[in-house]
Amino acid sequence: MSSKRVYWIEGDGIGPEIWRAARPVIDAALAKESDMRIEWVELLAGEKATAETGSPLPEETMNALRTADFAMKGPLGTPVGTGIRSLNVALRQTLDLYACIRPVRHFEGLETPVKHPERVNMVIFRENTEDVYAGIEYAARTPEAKKLIAFLREEFGVTKIREEAAVGIKPMSEFGSKRLVRRALRFALDTGSKSLTLVHKGNIMKFTEGGFRQWGYDVAAQEFGDLTCTEKEPVEGRLVVKDRIADAMFQEALLRPEQYQILATPNLNGDYISDALAAQVGGLGLAPGVNMSDSLAFYEATHGTAPTIAGQDKANPGSVILCGALMLEQMGVPAAAERIRNAMSKAIAGRAVTVDLAAQVEGARVVGCQEFGEIIGACL
């Protein structure tokens, strides 16, 4: 019997509850389709790590992840505006998890804010290490901010920045942009998708987001030229590479979602559009995601820690369960992944769901986090 080691981080807030509900479902789905088993190894991060080690992100955790193939985690909390910078961002940058991949689809039976949520079936590839999320910023009126403003004025003649401003830097590189788009292109071709769309704000930020757009087209032409074409010069049977301005893409996602399959985006745009698309199909409770380097696939719940309901058995474990489906696909057991998705559909059809989904399911009976996981497991 073969096994795959998966490092897991419980998470803060509702993290412990959703893990208890999700892990048995993942194990059971795998057992029904394969002799392979998962060896789960816990790592510490967040509040639990701080309580036990004094550090929210211990070096022992990072050392283990540097050698890992697979990892999963619940939500990790970070104070807003003060204290430690985001643990999620720290993990992504330190481990070079440059591709945030978010599939978004609708589960029948969920009422949503749009008339035809079933038309949404997209996978978002978001660059994960650059852009404004690189965290290069300085608080207003600090010596660092004043020095940077003075440098820009004296060396580049930039006079439009107020002296009391906070300032940040938005790095976007050819290397980072191309490797993200390259990964998205390979996925699009492997899955037989019709199109890949570069989402950017290059009409205004011509050298950062405009660079992302151009580098995306370049990698498609230079490395996949015999398999791709552009929207302006379509070729029958080839993957169409096109681009959309970010704000226009939000409109397209509402009006014509069926025309888009794969999106490749810079960091900030991808954050916005992936959450907006999730809202169109029912919310973050059923939105899985994975952050990937060239060696590590790190799956995570896409929602937050929800501290107001922590410990009350009200949380929805669906995001982590569906992360498990993504992971099983990556492990080479797609039948187990599809079994989880089908079980989720059956559970929703049965109308016994957690409180966040109940408002979207006609005639729903509200159940707790643990029971919802058990219902999904029984539907496998």
Side-chain angles (χ1 to χ4, degrees):
M1 180 185 297
S2 63
S3 66
K4 296 282 189 182
R5 174 172 290 187
V6 178
Y7 291 99
W8 64 281
I9 294 170
E10 187 175 68
D12 301 327
I14 61 173
E17 298 163 74
I18 59 178
W19 264 111
R20 284 193 297 270
R23 181 171 152 181
V25 177
I26 299 167
D27 284 334
L30 179 60
K32 288 180 180 291
E33 297 292 347
S34 173
D35 291 333
M36 183 176 70
R37 295 294 178 265
I38 293 175
E39 176 193 357
W40 298 95
V41 179
E42 184 178 8
L43 298 176
L44 297 178
E47 294 172 2
K48 191 173 183 179
T50 301
E52 295 190 23
T53 72
S55 169
L57 197 57
E59 191 59 30
E60 292 83 353
T61 293
M62 298 306 297
N63 287 339
L65 291 171
R66 288 185 182 103
T67 63
D69 296 317
F70 299 98
M72 294 186 72
K73 75 175 187 68
L76 291 173
T78 299
V80 177
T82 185
I84 188 171
R85 198 172 286 278
S86 170
L87 291 177
N88 294 317
V89 173
L91 285 166
R92 293 166 192 169
Q93 293 181 346
T94 304
L95 298 169
D96 199 26
L97 301 169
Y98 64 85
C100 176
I101 305 170
R102 295 266 303 268
V104 181
R105 52 159 287 187
H106 178 247
F107 285 92
E108 187 176 354
L110 281 182
E111 297 179 2
T112 75
V114 298
K115 291 181 178 180
H116 294 288
E118 74 282 356
R119 295 178 182 173
V120 177
N121 190 0
M122 301 185 209
V123 182
I124 301 94
F125 281 72
R126 166 189 167 194
E127 203 291 318
N128 223 10
T129 63
E130 299 187 322
D131 201 347
V132 291
Y133 281 20
I136 308 170
E137 61 173 358
Y138 304 98
R141 298 183 176 86
T142 59
E144 294 85 358
K146 291 178 179 179
K147 187 174 182 180
L148 182 54
I149 291 169
F151 176 81
L152 291 171
R153 285 178 174 173
E154 294 165 8
E155 297 294 328
F156 296 105
V158 178
T159 59
K160 296 181 180 180
I161 305 177
R162 292 183 174 88
E163 289 187 6
E164 69 276 14
V167 291
I169 295 176
K170 178 187 175 84
M172 293 176 65
S173 70
E174 180 177 3
F175 173 82
S177 299
K178 280 188 171 181
R179 70 173 176 174
L180 182 280
V181 177
R182 183 181 296 116
R183 187 160 208 149
L185 283 165
R186 287 174 178 158
F187 178 86
L189 291 165
D190 288 346
T191 55
S193 299
K194 295 179 180 179
S195 70
L196 180 147
T197 306
L198 304 165
V199 182
H200 62 91
K201 194 63 179 171
N203 57 326
I204 303 299
M205 291 168 277
K206 300 183 184 299
F207 307 116
T208 50
E209 305 224 0
F212 177 87
R213 171 189 178 276
Q214 187 58 55
W215 294 322
Y217 276 120
D218 288 347
V219 74
Q222 294 164 6
E223 301 181 25
F224 303 89
D226 57 338
L227 300 172
T228 65
C229 62
T230 65
E231 192 173 34
K232 292 181 180 179
E233 298 179 347
V235 177
E236 185 68 29
R238 293 191 181 186
L239 175 72
V240 178
V241 179
K242 54 191 178 181
D243 73 277
R244 295 291 183 270
I245 302 298
D247 44 335
M249 186 63 226
F250 276 85
Q251 176 175 263
E252 290 290 285
L254 287 167
L255 299 178
R256 289 172 283 275
E258 68 279 0
Q259 295 183 12
Y260 300 88
Q261 289 80 48
I262 312 297
L263 307 182
T265 78
N267 208 336
L268 183 60
N269 293 336
D271 194 2
Y272 291 156
I273 194 70
S274 56
D275 279 14
L277 286 168
Q280 286 183 221
V281 299
L284 291 176
L286 298 179
V290 56
N291 297 297
M292 300 188 77
S293 69
D294 287 331
S295 58
L296 172 62
F298 202 152
Y299 301 84
E300 68 173 3
T302 56
H303 53 71
T305 59
T308 58
I309 62 168
Q312 300 177 35
D313 194 39
K314 292 181 178 180
N316 181 354
S319 180
V320 173
I321 291 172
L322 292 170
C323 281
L326 287 181
M327 184 175 70
L328 293 175
E329 276 185 333
Q330 184 71 15
M331 288 179 174
V333 195
E338 193 59 24
R339 188 178 282 273
I340 288 176
R341 295 187 186 107
N342 289 337
M344 185 68 73
S345 294
K346 291 176 184 176
I348 292 170
R351 301 181 182 180
V353 295
T354 48
V355 65
D356 63 310
L357 297 178
Q360 301 163 257
V361 177
E362 186 177 355
R365 175 174 70 89
V366 176
V367 299
C369 176
Q370 189 64 37
E371 185 178 353
F372 189 47
E374 292 167 358
I375 290 169
I376 296 168
C379 293
L380 290 170

